Amino acid sequence: MECPNCELKQRHFYCENCLRAQCVGSWPGRGTGIDMAPSLRDFRLQIQHVAADRDEQVHRASAAIDTVRDARVRRADLAYGQERLEEVQSGLARLRKENEKTRQRLRSLREALATRRRTLSQARLLQVPAPDSLIGREAQQLSARAETIARARNGLVSELVEVFNVVEVGGRPPIGGKAGTKGEWTIGDLVLPVPGDIRRYPPDHINAVITHAVHFLGLLTFYLGIKLPFEITWSGGKLGLGQPWIRSIKGTESGSWAKWTSKHCLHVSASSTTPAPDTPASPSHAISQSTSDSFIEFPAPQSSSFTTAYAMLLYDVCYLAHTQAVEVPLAQAGEVLSNLWAVCCSSELGRRSHQTYPLLPPPTPAGFPLDFAQLLQATAATPRTSRPKTKRVARPSEKIPEEDEWDLVDDAEPDV
């Protein structure tokens, strides 16, 4: 049967009754030229033939599928194995990094342990009593080195004395059983008087000579390696710049100096007023002698900041002398340059220090007899040098020369 449109041959369609027929030609119309429907047996035979072909094709397809399945399984297993291998490799790299860090830490710990063991071994060796020969040799080396340092310090101190020109002017030695007289000590050709004679000099002179003395004392203690109980600073922040100020460092209660922690100025300023020559004397005034042997009355600075600062300077000089085996009594504490000269001429100069062997104890030890409170009281009492108290008689038309009057600065710290 052909389709009138596409001209394709199609199957014939048979009804259910025709399919149930047992044989061909049992229907009416046989021999009329019309195709009769085949029997059910023919269809069964055809189905059996096609079923065999179908089974064979199914078998072939199943075999082909089995072959493909095995290949796919192998490829899947290979891909899974590669993924696992990559994971293992990344984990191995991470473990290697961690192991390297652990090795480095272990190496540092071993080095630290080795260092501690060496330190412990050295400490044990130090604790073990050394032979007498070794101790004696070390002691000799230390003594020789200390002697060399002392000689070097003596040379530096000698040059320092020459540079600042610390000398005694006037006076005479004892001759023919007669007692000698003391002269005035100068530094840089300027006289540094005792506390009682300070007001006999103009303020510029006092400031200049104190500045020289402070410079000399600072260099001397630097060469000798001595730490003084009172520290000197400058208002300008640098050595020699501005005004010198002095205060105590940290120390013990020995000597009663450590409590003076506030700054005091080692500087005086000129006054705008000058007392009249004919001002009557009073018990609260101290008498000063001018360079022309005339008398002028000045107020006595009993409790000024400068007096305290100057007493601190005197205490430093006395303590420096004590460290170099020169004992200065309280009565001679005010003679600064004389005491410094005695220090520079000491036979034990430079042998003991706070920085080199043999070491000195911190200032001030119990063996230092001078007490700062006593020195401050003696300085405030303004003792004067023994000079002949003669008064020159002036003519009626002649005026008595007057020296410049100055006041002491207060204890306020400068603005720096």
Side-chain angles (χ1 to χ4, degrees), residues 243-261:
Q243 300 174 358
W245 292 73
I246 187 169
R247 62 183 299 179
S248 66
I249 62 175
K250 294 182 179 180
T252 60
E253 295 296 331
S254 178
S256 68
W257 56 270
K259 62 183 179 180
W260 296 85
T261 57

Side-chain angles (χ1 to χ4, degrees), residues 23-264:
C23 61
V24 181
S26 59
W27 293 284
R30 180 177 176 172
T32 60
I34 300 174
D35 293 335
M36 303 304 294
S39 64
L40 183 59
R41 183 185 56 175
D42 296 335
F43 277 105
R44 287 178 179 176
L45 291 175
Q46 293 178 2
I47 289 173
Q48 289 178 359
H49 178 70
V50 173
D53 294 339
R54 182 197 62 189
D55 293 338
E56 183 179 359
Q57 294 296 330
V58 169
H59 178 70
R60 291 178 180 178
S62 298
I65 289 174
D66 293 339
T67 304
V68 174
R69 181 185 298 112
D70 295 339
R72 288 181 176 178
V73 169
R74 286 194 300 270
R75 286 197 298 269
D77 294 340
L78 180 60
Y80 179 74
Q82 290 179 351
E83 292 178 357
R84 291 291 301 167
L85 179 60
E86 292 177 357
E87 293 179 358
V88 171
Q89 289 178 350
S90 61
L92 181 60
R94 185 171 58 256
L95 289 177
R96 285 178 179 175
K97 292 181 180 179
E98 294 178 356
N99 291 339
E100 186 64 25
K101 292 181 181 179
T102 305
R103 289 193 189 96
Q104 293 179 358
R105 183 172 177 272
L106 182 61
R107 191 181 301 110
S108 61
L109 291 176
R110 286 178 179 176
E111 292 177 356
L113 181 61
T115 303
R116 291 182 180 180
R117 287 178 178 176
R118 287 194 299 269
T119 305
L120 183 59
S121 300
Q122 293 176 0
R124 289 176 179 175
L125 291 175
L126 292 176
Q127 293 178 357
V128 175
D132 295 338
S133 60
L134 180 60
I135 295 177
R137 184 167 64 254
E138 294 294 337
Q140 291 177 0
Q141 292 178 357
L142 287 176
S143 299
R145 187 170 299 176
E147 187 67 25
T148 303
I149 295 175
R151 288 196 299 268
R153 287 171 175 167
N154 275 270
L156 292 173
V157 171
S158 300
E159 294 179 359
L160 184 64
V161 172
E162 293 180 1
V163 169
F164 280 84
N165 193 22
V166 180
V167 294
E168 184 181 10
V169 179
R172 62 173 179 81
I175 300 176
K178 296 181 180 180
T181 59
K182 293 183 178 181
E184 292 180 330
W185 285 89
T186 62
I187 178 171
D189 298 332
L190 296 176
V191 177
L192 180 60
V194 297
D197 292 338
I198 285 181
R199 299 187 69 88
R200 296 178 54 247
Y201 295 84
D204 293 341
H205 178 96
I206 297 300
N207 293 333
V209 71
I210 287 179
T211 301
H212 289 340
V214 168
H215 280 221
F216 182 84
L217 181 62
L219 291 175
L220 183 59
T221 54
F222 175 74
Y223 292 155
L224 299 179
I226 300 299
K227 188 175 184 180
L228 299 176
F230 291 100
E231 180 184 13
I232 299 175
T233 57
W234 296 83
S235 60
K238 295 182 180 180
L239 180 63
L241 182 61
Q243 300 174 358
W245 292 73
I246 187 169
R247 62 183 299 179
S248 66
I249 62 175
K250 294 182 179 180
T252 60
E253 295 296 331
S254 178
S256 68
W257 56 270
K259 62 183 179 180
W260 296 85
T261 57
S262 60
K263 288 185 178 181
H264 296 272

